Amino acid sequence: IYFWPASRGHLAPLNLRGKSDLSILGLGLVTILTPSADQGFITIQHCDHITLRNLNFGSLDSQPGCARSRVVIRNSRVITLNGLLIQGPAKAILDTREVDGLFLEKSVLSLASGSTLLMAHTTNVHIRHCILSENSEVCGEPMLKLDSCGALEISKSIIAANTAPFSHLRSVE
């Protein structure tokens, strides 16, 4: 178990690659992350059984943020995001590809310039007790963009779109 971040203030992005059986617990502090031009604030790649809990972060970006996402998950299995507050602006708040087993619980994802959820080839997705809200059409993306996703469950959650199209669903079970 790791605690991240250890203090308030500006912080570089968190990158996990090839990790397994890891929990990262936030202290509930508001953290301003400094974005990388080509990566998300949190990037998880080729990982297995990762839990992120109680993280609260955003950015002071004044740009719409159409080039990057806040949380990027690629080629991973069993990822749990619990008790997160993540704000844009961003191309997507949560951006997944080739993920099997995504558990998003008791979290708030908001202020996207594009999609709040951008998922491709992601299966066994469980979204429970979440608020997904406040996207705009700055990036021209729908709030929920799901492509070739399977076993998707959304329960006891609030999904509220602003001005962008609500959803783009293709090959979703």
Side-chain angles (χ1 to χ4, degrees), residues 18-128:
K19 304 289 184 192
S20 62
D21 301 314
L22 177 67
S23 292
I24 297 177
L25 306 178
L27 301 175
L29 304 172
V30 176
T31 302
I32 305 301
L33 294 171
T34 303
S36 168
D38 59 347
Q39 295 182 328
F41 285 167
I42 296 177
T43 302
I44 300 171
Q45 297 180 62
H46 304 284
C47 291
D48 191 20
H49 289 87
I50 302 293
T51 298
L52 302 179
R53 181 172 285 130
N54 199 28
L55 299 176
N56 179 353
F57 64 88
S59 171
L60 295 177
D61 280 355
S62 59
Q63 300 301 316
C66 296
R68 62 182 162 268
S69 299
R70 292 294 176 238
V71 177
V72 177
I73 306 171
R74 299 284 187 265
N75 303 95
S76 296
R77 291 183 58 249
V78 190
I79 306 298
T80 301
L81 309 173
N82 186 301
L84 275 58
L85 171 59
I86 305 171
Q87 297 181 331
K91 172 185 173 185
I93 301 297
L94 178 59
D95 180 350
T96 69
R97 180 175 293 276
E98 302 290 338
V99 175
D100 182 17
L102 176 67
F103 300 86
L104 179 63
E105 302 166 338
K106 299 177 185 172
S107 296
V108 177
L109 310 180
S110 65
L111 302 175
S113 305
S115 299
T116 302
L117 292 180
L118 178 59
M119 296 183 175
H121 306 284
T122 298
T123 58
N124 299 313
V125 178
H126 305 273
I127 299 172
R128 299 180 186 123

Side-chain angles (χ1 to χ4, degrees), residues 109-112 114-117 131-137 141-144 158-168:
L109 310 180
S110 65
L111 302 175
S115 299
T116 302
L117 292 180
I131 298 173
L132 312 174
S133 68
E134 301 179 44
N135 70 313
S136 70
E137 57 188 15
E141 296 288 345
M143 182 171 182
L144 304 177
I158 297 170
I159 301 173
N162 281 357
T163 58
F166 178 70
S167 66
H168 168 81

